[in-house]
């Protein structure tokens, strides 16, 4: 365990919005190749952490290291180019585009040819466009959406939109994938499938995955390590069994609902 | 699939050949007025498709088209005006020496008009798009006015309010439709490429586009500059078609007309812009009657100048209220959809 590389380190990460400290001294180390979780009650600051890591917010304090490289304050598109991809809590697809186009847009980041080659119709350009669309098709097969490649993204049911969003993120060839509540709005059967899908994706694409999730079955089932945020502060971390048994966590987050269901 | 592509390419070639035959026939049989309208259709189509790239495909609301046309028109006209004509028309102040000598063949002049317009586009886009897309509308509106003020006051270059007269009328049907096809080809290839997909991604959801690694600023600037290039070409052709230009020609209504075509045809639909150009150019001509006195029996209703634009503004409001997506929405009229009523439906795979 100790010989693994650290893919993400966030010493002292803090985000203040005016008077509100949304995230206070968030300090985690994520090991390469793991699936890890970030949990906490509503408004705890989980999404804000994602927004800082992916360059949407510039942290008020602290740093973000991706493989020892300081990426604090890097613009979002450059963070993605470094190899960090994400999905959104409220799904954000390109709704006027087809399922295939959505994934091709993800793959555009790694495309070498530039726009002026399009009207010139050069063979190298056409070849790369074909490669991109083949690669997108391959990813759609992986997430089980290849039948729907030609459909508009907004015509997909909710669960499939979530999978499309993951396929699109994978198309950017990330090393580190951030999933913001991937199981939200899914029924138990779908979340169960999602758990296996996340595990398989990690294997197939050699990924490290950090996920935010409210569905405790998913979190406990899939995560090897968990951090707990409450009012912007980390209150616990550890393997799922420890987190489940930690009284602070039960009180702050899991509460009565969890005790009843346990 | 492969067979369909070959069929579609063949049909496109046949359509271009059909258009050429029609132009040839029209050249011999149409009167000057009808030919003028046909020329305007081609130029409006160039302008509309280029604005559609900026507004419809990349989602940047721009009001700068008249400004870019103005730049393209002056640059190209100064390059094709004969030196003797320049001496004759610059009566307030003589034209500056380098421009007096400057001369280029028509194609080169038109393309250079586009290039200089693109440089202006780039210079606006670089600072303004830094602020995100929200300020582009107001900034381009200001740009259009500034360009006109310059055209009015840089007398040794533009001949001021007198404008340029006696511009050689090279822009016949062949040139205009040739440049139109060139514009269609380039913009369709761009829009259908994965780069085009990235532009549409920025339009649909900028946040998600950034998260997918798209440098939205750079892509917006690129799209805007390409659009400005073709707007400049449109202006250059218009100048040669009309043979006179002056700063008053490039008022905001000019931008408004192009915007009208794009919105009516459908934001994000090339074929929508083409159909819009045909219909609206003809309508604009036809609507001239409302500005002339109308005699019904013994009554005479006096003509109201500017009435056309009132009707047009009202129609734009109506379109936005009742059919926001325009004629085509984001759809395209393709050979597949055209042929589908003839038993080709369900034959896709
Ligand atoms: N851009 C912003 N400006 C001001 N306040 C913000 C901003 N983004 C988040 N916040 C605030 O920061 C706090 C944490 O929000 P965040 O979205 O990170 O919570 P979360 O843990 O993801 O919650 P949920 O489980 O509901 O998604 C909230 O109080 C929120 O209102
Ligand atoms: Mg959240």
């Amino acid at each position: 365990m100790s010989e693994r590389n650290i893919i993400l380190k966030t010493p002292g990460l803090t985000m203040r919005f005016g008077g509100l400290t949304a995230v206070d001294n968030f300090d985690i180390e994520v090991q390469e190749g793991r699936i890890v979780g970030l949990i906490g009650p509503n408004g705890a600051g989980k999404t804000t952490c994602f927004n800082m890591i992916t360059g949407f917010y510039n942290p008020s304090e602290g740093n973000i290291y991706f493989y020892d490289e300081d990426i604090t304050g890097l613009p979002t598109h450059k963070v993605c180019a470094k190899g960090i991809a994400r999905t959104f809590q409220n799904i954000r697809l390109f709704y006027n585009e087809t399922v295939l186009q959505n994934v091709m847009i993800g793959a555009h980041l790694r495309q070498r040819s530039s726009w002026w080659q399009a009207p010139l119709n050069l063979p190298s350009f056409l070849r790369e466009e074909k490669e991109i669309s083949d690669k997108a098709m391959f990813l759609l097969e992986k997430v089980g959406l290849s039948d729907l490649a030609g459909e508009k993204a907004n015509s997909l049911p909710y669960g499939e939109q979530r999978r499309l969003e993951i396929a699109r993120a994978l198309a950017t060839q990330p090393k580190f994938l951030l999933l913001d509540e991937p199981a939200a709005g899914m029924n138990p059967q779908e979340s169960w499938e999602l758990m296996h899908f996340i595990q398989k994706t990690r294997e197939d694409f050699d990924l490290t995955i950090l996920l935010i999730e409210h569905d405790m079955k998913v979190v406990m089932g899939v995560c090897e390590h968990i951090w707990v945020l409450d009012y912007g502060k980390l209150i616990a971390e550890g393997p799922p069994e420890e987190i489940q048994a930690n009284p602070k966590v039960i009180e702050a987050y899991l509460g009565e609902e969890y005790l009843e269901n346990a | 699939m492969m067979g369909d592509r070959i069929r579609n390419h063949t049909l496109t070639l046949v359509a271009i050949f059909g258009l050429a035959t029609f132009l040839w026939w029209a050249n011999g049989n149409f009167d000057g007025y009808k030919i003028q309208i046909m020329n305007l259709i081609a130029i409006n189509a160039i302008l509309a498709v280029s604005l559609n790239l900026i507004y419809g495909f990349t989602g940047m609301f721009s009001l700068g088209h008249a400004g870019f046309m103005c730049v393209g028109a002056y640059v190209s006209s100064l390059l094709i005006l004969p030196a003797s004509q320049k001496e004759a028309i610059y009566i307030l102040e003589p034209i500056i020496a380098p421009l007096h000598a400057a001369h280029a063949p028509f194609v080169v002049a038109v393309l250079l008009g586009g290039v200089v317009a693109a440089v202006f586009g780039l210079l606006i886009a670089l600072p303004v798009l830094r602020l995100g897309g929200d300020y582009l509308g107001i900034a381009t509106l200001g740009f259009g006015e500034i360009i006109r003020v310059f055209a009015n006051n840089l007398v040794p270059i533009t001949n001021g309010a007198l404008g340029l007269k006696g511009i050689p009328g090279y822009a016949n049907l062949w040139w205009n439709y040739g440049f139109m096809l060139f514009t269609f080809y380039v913009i369709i290839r761009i829009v259908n490429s994965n780069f085009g997909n990235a532009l549409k991604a920025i339009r649909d959801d900028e946040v998600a586009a950034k998260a997918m690694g798209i440098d939205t600023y750079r892509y917006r600037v690129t799209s805007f500059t390409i659009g400005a290039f073709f707007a400049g070409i449109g202006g250059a052709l218009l100048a040669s078609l009309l043979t006179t230009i002056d700063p008053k020609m490039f008022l905001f209504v000019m931008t408004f007309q192009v915007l009208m075509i794009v919105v009516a045809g459908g934001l994000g639909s090339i074929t929508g812009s083409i159909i819009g150009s045909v219909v609206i150019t003809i309508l604009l001509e036809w609507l001239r009657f409302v500005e002339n006195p109308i005699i019904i029996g013994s009554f005479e209703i006096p003509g109201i100048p500017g009435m056309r634009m009132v009707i047009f503004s009202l129609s734009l409001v109506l379109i936005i209220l009742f059919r926001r997506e325009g004629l085509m929405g984001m759809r395209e009229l393709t050979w597949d959809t055209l042929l589908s009523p003839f038993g080709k439906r369900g034959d896709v795979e």
Side-chain angles (χ1 to χ4, degrees), chain A residues 47 89 180-181:
Chain A
T47 300
Q89 182 168 353
D180 199 343
E181 304 201 16

Side-chain angles (χ1 to χ4, degrees), chain B residues 186-260:
Chain B
V186 173
I187 293 188
I188 288 173
R189 290 290 308 169
I190 288 176
V191 160
N192 286 343
S193 72
N194 205 27
F195 173 84
N197 286 336
L199 297 183
K200 295 172 209 163
I202 297 172
R203 169 194 68 193
D204 283 3
D205 190 329
E206 190 187 356
V207 167
K210 282 182 180 162
M212 290 300 106
I214 296 170
D215 186 347
T216 54
Y217 170 66
R218 228 186 71 200
Y219 278 53
R220 279 212 176 99
V221 169
T222 309
S223 163
F224 189 80
T225 309
I226 300 170
F229 172 76
F230 286 106
I233 286 188
L237 293 172
L238 188 64
S240 169
L241 177 68
L242 302 179
T243 68
T244 49
I245 53 172
D246 65 67
K248 275 206 304 295
M249 220 177 101
F250 302 98
L251 285 167
F252 177 67
V253 273
M254 188 70 106
T255 300
F256 186 75
Q257 269 184 37
V258 183
L259 186 65
M260 175 83 192

Side-chain angles (χ1 to χ4, degrees), chain A residues 86-87 91-95 97-106 136 139-146 148-149 151-171 186 194 197, chain B residues 212:
Chain A
R86 70 174 289 182
T87 64
I91 308 177
R92 302 190 85 124
L93 291 169
F94 305 120
Y95 285 107
E97 276 29 87
T98 65
V99 168
L100 181 68
Q101 277 174 310
N102 266 271
V103 183
M104 286 176 68
I105 291 165
L139 287 169
L140 285 177
E141 266 157 39
K142 281 274 175 194
V143 301
L145 292 175
S146 52
L148 302 170
E151 300 293 319
K152 267 213 183 169
N154 62 3
S155 70
L156 296 191
Y158 193 75
E160 305 191 323
Q161 292 195 7
R162 287 239 170 252
R163 271 188 288 156
L164 175 56
E165 214 190 6
I166 295 178
R168 187 183 67 176
L170 290 174
M186 289 189 173
L194 179 80
F197 172 67
Chain B
M212 290 300 106

Side-chain angles (χ1 to χ4, degrees), chain B:
Chain B
M1 285 298 280
M2 199 59 202
D4 276 4
R5 275 191 49 191
I6 293 171
R7 183 201 68 191
N8 291 347
H9 284 320
T10 315
L11 284 171
T12 306
L13 282 178
V14 170
I16 292 173
F17 185 74
L19 175 68
T21 316
F22 176 65
L23 292 180
W24 174 77
W25 177 83
N27 238 341
N29 292 279
F30 276 5
D31 58 31
Y33 180 61
K34 284 197 183 113
I35 287 186
Q36 183 77 348
I37 292 178
M38 285 187 59
N39 278 315
L40 288 173
I41 288 176
I43 293 172
N44 279 337
I46 294 173
L47 298 170
V49 170
S50 65
L51 181 62
N52 210 340
L53 176 71
I54 296 174
Y55 184 25
F57 287 96
T58 323
M60 299 181 287
F61 183 61
S62 163
L63 296 171
H65 251 51
F68 298 128
M69 290 169 66
C70 183
V71 172
Y74 273 93
V75 168
S76 154
S77 301
L78 285 171
L79 286 172
I80 55 174
L81 269 172
S84 58
Q85 179 69 9
K86 286 178 189 165
E87 281 155 27
I89 56 176
Y90 280 70
I91 37 181
L92 297 172
E93 283 177 54
I95 186 167
I96 55 171
L99 285 181
H100 182 266
H103 196 81
F106 184 56
V107 209
V108 178
V110 171
L111 289 174
L112 273 179
V115 169
V116 179
V119 170
F120 275 82
L122 186 67
L123 291 178
I124 301 162
L126 284 174
V128 174
L129 290 174
R130 269 271 171 244
L131 312 170
D134 298 343
Y135 301 91
L136 192 66
I138 198 78
T140 47
L141 188 62
F143 159 74
E145 289 307 299
I146 292 168
I147 284 291
R148 271 193 331 105
V149 171
F150 274 118
N152 248 325
N153 293 295
L154 291 177
V155 180
I157 296 172
T158 63
N159 202 23
L162 293 179
L164 304 179
K165 290 182 183 56
I167 303 163
Y170 299 132
N172 57 16
L173 282 177
W174 299 113
W175 279 119
N176 291 329
Y177 278 82
F179 271 109
M180 181 190 83
L181 290 178
F182 168 66
T183 309
F184 290 174
Y185 173 75
V186 173
I187 293 188
I188 288 173
R189 290 290 308 169
I190 288 176
V191 160
N192 286 343
S193 72
N194 205 27
F195 173 84
N197 286 336
L199 297 183
K200 295 172 209 163
I202 297 172
R203 169 194 68 193
D204 283 3
D205 190 329
E206 190 187 356
V207 167
K210 282 182 180 162
M212 290 300 106
I214 296 170
D215 186 347
T216 54
Y217 170 66
R218 228 186 71 200
Y219 278 53
R220 279 212 176 99
V221 169
T222 309
S223 163
F224 189 80
T225 309
I226 300 170
F229 172 76
F230 286 106
I233 286 188
L237 293 172
L238 188 64
S240 169
L241 177 68
L242 302 179
T243 68
T244 49
I245 53 172
D246 65 67
K248 275 206 304 295
M249 220 177 101
F250 302 98
L251 285 167
F252 177 67
V253 273
M254 188 70 106
T255 300
F256 186 75
Q257 269 184 37
V258 183
L259 186 65
M260 175 83 192
I261 294 174
V262 175
V263 173
L267 287 169
S269 169
I270 300 277
T271 40
S273 286
I274 298 172
I275 298 170
S277 307
V278 177
V279 173
I280 289 183
T281 310
I282 293 173
L283 269 184
L284 265 176
E285 285 306 317
W286 181 73
L287 270 175
R288 278 189 198 282
F289 86 91
V290 298
E291 298 193 356
N292 297 329
I294 302 167
I295 299 164
I296 306 169
S298 55
F299 286 102
E300 186 183 317
I301 307 169
I304 310 163
M307 196 59 197
R308 276 196 312 162
M309 285 331 282
V310 173
I311 294 179
F312 254 69
S313 313
L314 281 177
S315 347
L316 186 61
V317 171
L318 289 178
I319 293 174
I320 289 169
L321 284 179
F322 296 110
R323 197 173 163 84
R324 286 201 77 157
E325 74 277 20
L327 178 70
M328 297 294 295
M330 285 188 189
R331 290 180 304 275
E332 295 290 356
L333 207 57
T334 62
W335 294 120
D336 294 318
T337 48
L338 277 176
L339 293 175
S340 59
F342 307 115
K344 278 297 250 182
R345 209 189 291 269
D347 201 16
V348 189
E349 245 112 13

